[in-house]
Amino acid sequence: MDVLSQAIERTSTHLNIDKEELILWLDQQAAPLYIQLQLLRMAQKYQLDPLSDEVGIFEHEDQTQGVYITIDGWAKLMNQHPQYAGMSLRESTELIDNIPTWMECTIYRNDRILPIVIKEYFEEVRTTHPSWAQMPRRMLRHRVIQQCTRLALGITCPDVSFKQSA
């Protein structure tokens, strides 16, 4: 059995998802072997289901591909963490083209005295992806939730700071 087949077998068993569906999903991604393996490892490590759009593969502007956690995946990670005690969001009253200049996320943990607070600035995090043009507030909210969750819960993954799902 080759490396990819082994990883598919492990991931489908670990996540209790249909192996054939996972294979079909991976075939549709047209991603290189290493990227597919990276996705399967991330899916197992964080219990994220690619078939439920919790983790995925995207293409960079330079045509290379990477793995990312979707906003649904971040929400799942946050809500399943045993120390997660809540989150709040705040946005700037200063607007540029009717978009807040920054947004802030605060995550509370049961095992910490002080919450984790992250502020992201629209001008620094927006990309050329069409989602940022169509729904800039939502994308800014996704970015600040992603970064705050990553830091508050100690989640590491490749390309996580470069991609947001719509």
Side-chain angles (χ1 to χ4, degrees), residues 61-74:
E61 289 178 11
D62 66 1
Q63 309 307 312
T64 60
Q65 292 177 311
V67 177
Y68 74 102
I69 297 173
T70 68
I71 192 64
D72 293 337
W74 287 110

mmCIF file with all atom_site columns, all heavy atoms in Angstrom, residues 61-74:
data_model
loop_
_atom_site.group_PDB
_atom_site.id
_atom_site.type_symbol
_atom_site.label_atom_id
_atom_site.label_alt_id
_atom_site.label_comp_id
_atom_site.label_asym_id
_atom_site.label_entity_id
_atom_site.label_seq_id
_atom_site.pdbx_PDB_ins_code
_atom_site.Cartn_x
_atom_site.Cartn_y
_atom_site.Cartn_z
_atom_site.occupancy
_atom_site.B_iso_or_equiv
_atom_site.pdbx_formal_charge
_atom_site.auth_seq_id
_atom_site.auth_comp_id
_atom_site.auth_asym_id
_atom_site.auth_atom_id
_atom_site.pdbx_PDB_model_num
ATOM 1   N N   . GLU A 1 61 ? -1.668  32.699 -5.377  1.00 0.00 ? 61 GLU A N   1
ATOM 2   C CA  . GLU A 1 61 ? -1.587  33.478 -6.608  1.00 0.00 ? 61 GLU A CA  1
ATOM 3   C C   . GLU A 1 61 ? -0.482  32.980 -7.530  1.00 0.00 ? 61 GLU A C   1
ATOM 4   O O   . GLU A 1 61 ? -0.571  33.114 -8.742  1.00 0.00 ? 61 GLU A O   1
ATOM 5   C CB  . GLU A 1 61 ? -1.377  34.958 -6.282  1.00 0.00 ? 61 GLU A CB  1
ATOM 6   C CG  . GLU A 1 61 ? -2.613  35.598 -5.674  1.00 0.00 ? 61 GLU A CG  1
ATOM 7   C CD  . GLU A 1 61 ? -2.394  37.052 -5.303  1.00 0.00 ? 61 GLU A CD  1
ATOM 8   O OE1 . GLU A 1 61 ? -1.366  37.643 -5.689  1.00 0.00 ? 61 GLU A OE1 1
ATOM 9   O OE2 . GLU A 1 61 ? -3.280  37.595 -4.626  1.00 0.00 ? 61 GLU A OE2 1
ATOM 10  N N   . ASP A 1 62 ? 0.574   32.374 -6.961  1.00 0.00 ? 62 ASP A N   1
ATOM 11  C CA  . ASP A 1 62 ? 1.682   31.860 -7.784  1.00 0.00 ? 62 ASP A CA  1
ATOM 12  C C   . ASP A 1 62 ? 1.438   30.427 -8.271  1.00 0.00 ? 62 ASP A C   1
ATOM 13  O O   . ASP A 1 62 ? 2.357   29.760 -8.722  1.00 0.00 ? 62 ASP A O   1
ATOM 14  C CB  . ASP A 1 62 ? 3.005   31.953 -7.031  1.00 0.00 ? 62 ASP A CB  1
ATOM 15  C CG  . ASP A 1 62 ? 3.058   31.041 -5.809  1.00 0.00 ? 62 ASP A CG  1
ATOM 16  O OD1 . ASP A 1 62 ? 2.076   30.313 -5.531  1.00 0.00 ? 62 ASP A OD1 1
ATOM 17  O OD2 . ASP A 1 62 ? 4.096   31.047 -5.123  1.00 0.00 ? 62 ASP A OD2 1
ATOM 18  N N   . GLN A 1 63 ? 0.202   29.954 -8.151  1.00 0.00 ? 63 GLN A N   1
ATOM 19  C CA  . GLN A 1 63 ? -0.238  28.633 -8.623  1.00 0.00 ? 63 GLN A CA  1
ATOM 20  C C   . GLN A 1 63 ? 0.200   27.472 -7.736  1.00 0.00 ? 63 GLN A C   1
ATOM 21  O O   . GLN A 1 63 ? -0.105  26.326 -8.032  1.00 0.00 ? 63 GLN A O   1
ATOM 22  C CB  . GLN A 1 63 ? 0.217   28.360 -10.075 1.00 0.00 ? 63 GLN A CB  1
ATOM 23  C CG  . GLN A 1 63 ? -0.125  29.457 -11.076 1.00 0.00 ? 63 GLN A CG  1
ATOM 24  C CD  . GLN A 1 63 ? -1.588  29.846 -11.082 1.00 0.00 ? 63 GLN A CD  1
ATOM 25  O OE1 . GLN A 1 63 ? -2.452  28.993 -11.129 1.00 0.00 ? 63 GLN A OE1 1
ATOM 26  N NE2 . GLN A 1 63 ? -1.857  31.134 -11.022 1.00 0.00 ? 63 GLN A NE2 1
ATOM 27  N N   . THR A 1 64 ? 0.921   27.741 -6.632  1.00 0.00 ? 64 THR A N   1
ATOM 28  C CA  . THR A 1 64 ? 1.213   26.670 -5.687  1.00 0.00 ? 64 THR A CA  1
ATOM 29  C C   . THR A 1 64 ? -0.023  26.447 -4.832  1.00 0.00 ? 64 THR A C   1
ATOM 30  O O   . THR A 1 64 ? -0.918  27.290 -4.787  1.00 0.00 ? 64 THR A O   1
ATOM 31  C CB  . THR A 1 64 ? 2.424   27.014 -4.796  1.00 0.00 ? 64 THR A CB  1
ATOM 32  O OG1 . THR A 1 64 ? 2.126   28.208 -4.060  1.00 0.00 ? 64 THR A OG1 1
ATOM 33  C CG2 . THR A 1 64 ? 3.680   27.210 -5.633  1.00 0.00 ? 64 THR A CG2 1
ATOM 34  N N   . GLN A 1 65 ? -0.081  25.318 -4.164  1.00 0.00 ? 65 GLN A N   1
ATOM 35  C CA  . GLN A 1 65 ? -1.239  25.000 -3.347  1.00 0.00 ? 65 GLN A CA  1
ATOM 36  C C   . GLN A 1 65 ? -0.847  24.872 -1.885  1.00 0.00 ? 65 GLN A C   1
ATOM 37  O O   . GLN A 1 65 ? 0.309   24.629 -1.561  1.00 0.00 ? 65 GLN A O   1
ATOM 38  C CB  . GLN A 1 65 ? -1.899  23.714 -3.842  1.00 0.00 ? 65 GLN A CB  1
ATOM 39  C CG  . GLN A 1 65 ? -2.538  23.893 -5.206  1.00 0.00 ? 65 GLN A CG  1
ATOM 40  C CD  . GLN A 1 65 ? -3.117  22.607 -5.737  1.00 0.00 ? 65 GLN A CD  1
ATOM 41  O OE1 . GLN A 1 65 ? -2.470  21.577 -5.740  1.00 0.00 ? 65 GLN A OE1 1
ATOM 42  N NE2 . GLN A 1 65 ? -4.355  22.677 -6.193  1.00 0.00 ? 65 GLN A NE2 1
ATOM 43  N N   . GLY A 1 66 ? -1.845  25.020 -1.017  1.00 0.00 ? 66 GLY A N   1
ATOM 44  C CA  . GLY A 1 66 ? -1.634  24.904 0.411   1.00 0.00 ? 66 GLY A CA  1
ATOM 45  C C   . GLY A 1 66 ? -2.884  24.402 1.101   1.00 0.00 ? 66 GLY A C   1
ATOM 46  O O   . GLY A 1 66 ? -3.958  24.333 0.506   1.00 0.00 ? 66 GLY A O   1
ATOM 47  N N   . VAL A 1 67 ? -2.732  24.053 2.345   1.00 0.00 ? 67 VAL A N   1
ATOM 48  C CA  . VAL A 1 67 ? -3.831  23.538 3.163   1.00 0.00 ? 67 VAL A CA  1
ATOM 49  C C   . VAL A 1 67 ? -4.288  24.653 4.096   1.00 0.00 ? 67 VAL A C   1
ATOM 50  O O   . VAL A 1 67 ? -3.463  25.430 4.582   1.00 0.00 ? 67 VAL A O   1
ATOM 51  C CB  . VAL A 1 67 ? -3.349  22.313 3.979   1.00 0.00 ? 67 VAL A CB  1
ATOM 52  C CG1 . VAL A 1 67 ? -4.436  21.799 4.894   1.00 0.00 ? 67 VAL A CG1 1
ATOM 53  C CG2 . VAL A 1 67 ? -2.866  21.211 3.039   1.00 0.00 ? 67 VAL A CG2 1
ATOM 54  N N   . TYR A 1 68 ? -5.575  24.740 4.331   1.00 0.00 ? 68 TYR A N   1
ATOM 55  C CA  . TYR A 1 68 ? -6.088  25.754 5.242   1.00 0.00 ? 68 TYR A CA  1
ATOM 56  C C   . TYR A 1 68 ? -7.272  25.212 6.033   1.00 0.00 ? 68 TYR A C   1
ATOM 57  O O   . TYR A 1 68 ? -7.935  24.270 5.619   1.00 0.00 ? 68 TYR A O   1
ATOM 58  C CB  . TYR A 1 68 ? -6.485  27.027 4.497   1.00 0.00 ? 68 TYR A CB  1
ATOM 59  C CG  . TYR A 1 68 ? -7.764  26.922 3.700   1.00 0.00 ? 68 TYR A CG  1
ATOM 60  C CD1 . TYR A 1 68 ? -8.946  27.465 4.170   1.00 0.00 ? 68 TYR A CD1 1
ATOM 61  C CD2 . TYR A 1 68 ? -7.787  26.273 2.471   1.00 0.00 ? 68 TYR A CD2 1
ATOM 62  C CE1 . TYR A 1 68 ? -10.128 27.376 3.449   1.00 0.00 ? 68 TYR A CE1 1
ATOM 63  C CE2 . TYR A 1 68 ? -8.961  26.179 1.738   1.00 0.00 ? 68 TYR A CE2 1
ATOM 64  C CZ  . TYR A 1 68 ? -10.117 26.730 2.226   1.00 0.00 ? 68 TYR A CZ  1
ATOM 65  O OH  . TYR A 1 68 ? -11.275 26.639 1.511   1.00 0.00 ? 68 TYR A OH  1
ATOM 66  N N   . ILE A 1 69 ? -7.504  25.835 7.174   1.00 0.00 ? 69 ILE A N   1
ATOM 67  C CA  . ILE A 1 69 ? -8.664  25.526 7.993   1.00 0.00 ? 69 ILE A CA  1
ATOM 68  C C   . ILE A 1 69 ? -9.728  26.565 7.660   1.00 0.00 ? 69 ILE A C   1
ATOM 69  O O   . ILE A 1 69 ? -9.448  27.759 7.655   1.00 0.00 ? 69 ILE A O   1
ATOM 70  C CB  . ILE A 1 69 ? -8.313  25.573 9.502   1.00 0.00 ? 69 ILE A CB  1
ATOM 71  C CG1 . ILE A 1 69 ? -7.264  24.509 9.833   1.00 0.00 ? 69 ILE A CG1 1
ATOM 72  C CG2 . ILE A 1 69 ? -9.569  25.381 10.358  1.00 0.00 ? 69 ILE A CG2 1
ATOM 73  C CD1 . ILE A 1 69 ? -6.738  24.577 11.257  1.00 0.00 ? 69 ILE A CD1 1
ATOM 74  N N   . THR A 1 70 ? -10.936 26.122 7.376   1.00 0.00 ? 70 THR A N   1
ATOM 75  C CA  . THR A 1 70 ? -12.029 27.032 7.045   1.00 0.00 ? 70 THR A CA  1
ATOM 76  C C   . THR A 1 70 ? -12.566 27.658 8.333   1.00 0.00 ? 70 THR A C   1
ATOM 77  O O   . THR A 1 70 ? -12.260 27.210 9.442   1.00 0.00 ? 70 THR A O   1
ATOM 78  C CB  . THR A 1 70 ? -13.175 26.297 6.340   1.00 0.00 ? 70 THR A CB  1
ATOM 79  O OG1 . THR A 1 70 ? -13.797 25.403 7.273   1.00 0.00 ? 70 THR A OG1 1
ATOM 80  C CG2 . THR A 1 70 ? -12.681 25.522 5.115   1.00 0.00 ? 70 THR A CG2 1
ATOM 81  N N   . ILE A 1 71 ? -13.416 28.652 8.195   1.00 0.00 ? 71 ILE A N   1
ATOM 82  C CA  . ILE A 1 71 ? -14.016 29.275 9.380   1.00 0.00 ? 71 ILE A CA  1
ATOM 83  C C   . ILE A 1 71 ? -14.852 28.249 10.146  1.00 0.00 ? 71 ILE A C   1
ATOM 84  O O   . ILE A 1 71 ? -14.898 28.276 11.380  1.00 0.00 ? 71 ILE A O   1
ATOM 85  C CB  . ILE A 1 71 ? -14.827 30.539 9.018   1.00 0.00 ? 71 ILE A CB  1
ATOM 86  C CG1 . ILE A 1 71 ? -15.185 31.330 10.285  1.00 0.00 ? 71 ILE A CG1 1
ATOM 87  C CG2 . ILE A 1 71 ? -16.046 30.196 8.191   1.00 0.00 ? 71 ILE A CG2 1
ATOM 88  C CD1 . ILE A 1 71 ? -14.017 31.900 11.053  1.00 0.00 ? 71 ILE A CD1 1
ATOM 89  N N   . ASP A 1 72 ? -15.469 27.300 9.434   1.00 0.00 ? 72 ASP A N   1
ATOM 90  C CA  . ASP A 1 72 ? -16.207 26.228 10.120  1.00 0.00 ? 72 ASP A CA  1
ATOM 91  C C   . ASP A 1 72 ? -15.261 25.360 10.945  1.00 0.00 ? 72 ASP A C   1
ATOM 92  O O   . ASP A 1 72 ? -15.604 24.929 12.052  1.00 0.00 ? 72 ASP A O   1
ATOM 93  C CB  . ASP A 1 72 ? -16.970 25.366 9.116   1.00 0.00 ? 72 ASP A CB  1
ATOM 94  C CG  . ASP A 1 72 ? -18.093 26.114 8.430   1.00 0.00 ? 72 ASP A CG  1
ATOM 95  O OD1 . ASP A 1 72 ? -18.580 27.118 8.997   1.00 0.00 ? 72 ASP A OD1 1
ATOM 96  O OD2 . ASP A 1 72 ? -18.481 25.699 7.321   1.00 0.00 ? 72 ASP A OD2 1
ATOM 97  N N   . GLY A 1 73 ? -14.082 25.111 10.402  1.00 0.00 ? 73 GLY A N   1
ATOM 98  C CA  . GLY A 1 73 ? -13.083 24.348 11.141  1.00 0.00 ? 73 GLY A CA  1
ATOM 99  C C   . GLY A 1 73 ? -12.601 25.090 12.377  1.00 0.00 ? 73 GLY A C   1
ATOM 100 O O   . GLY A 1 73 ? -12.453 24.511 13.456  1.00 0.00 ? 73 GLY A O   1
ATOM 101 N N   . TRP A 1 74 ? -12.363 26.397 12.227  1.00 0.00 ? 74 TRP A N   1
ATOM 102 C CA  . TRP A 1 74 ? -11.935 27.200 13.387  1.00 0.00 ? 74 TRP A CA  1
ATOM 103 C C   . TRP A 1 74 ? -13.009 27.202 14.469  1.00 0.00 ? 74 TRP A C   1
ATOM 104 O O   . TRP A 1 74 ? -12.707 27.080 15.660  1.00 0.00 ? 74 TRP A O   1
ATOM 105 C CB  . TRP A 1 74 ? -11.589 28.634 12.978  1.00 0.00 ? 74 TRP A CB  1
ATOM 106 C CG  . TRP A 1 74 ? -10.290 28.713 12.236  1.00 0.00 ? 74 TRP A CG  1
ATOM 107 C CD1 . TRP A 1 74 ? -10.115 28.988 10.907  1.00 0.00 ? 74 TRP A CD1 1
ATOM 108 C CD2 . TRP A 1 74 ? -8.983  28.475 12.766  1.00 0.00 ? 74 TRP A CD2 1
ATOM 109 N NE1 . TRP A 1 74 ? -8.785  28.936 10.592  1.00 0.00 ? 74 TRP A NE1 1
ATOM 110 C CE2 . TRP A 1 74 ? -8.067  28.624 11.718  1.00 0.00 ? 74 TRP A CE2 1
ATOM 111 C CE3 . TRP A 1 74 ? -8.503  28.146 14.036  1.00 0.00 ? 74 TRP A CE3 1
ATOM 112 C CZ2 . TRP A 1 74 ? -6.687  28.469 11.889  1.00 0.00 ? 74 TRP A CZ2 1
ATOM 113 C CZ3 . TRP A 1 74 ? -7.140  27.987 14.206  1.00 0.00 ? 74 TRP A CZ3 1
ATOM 114 C CH2 . TRP A 1 74 ? -6.247  28.147 13.143  1.00 0.00 ? 74 TRP A CH2 1
#
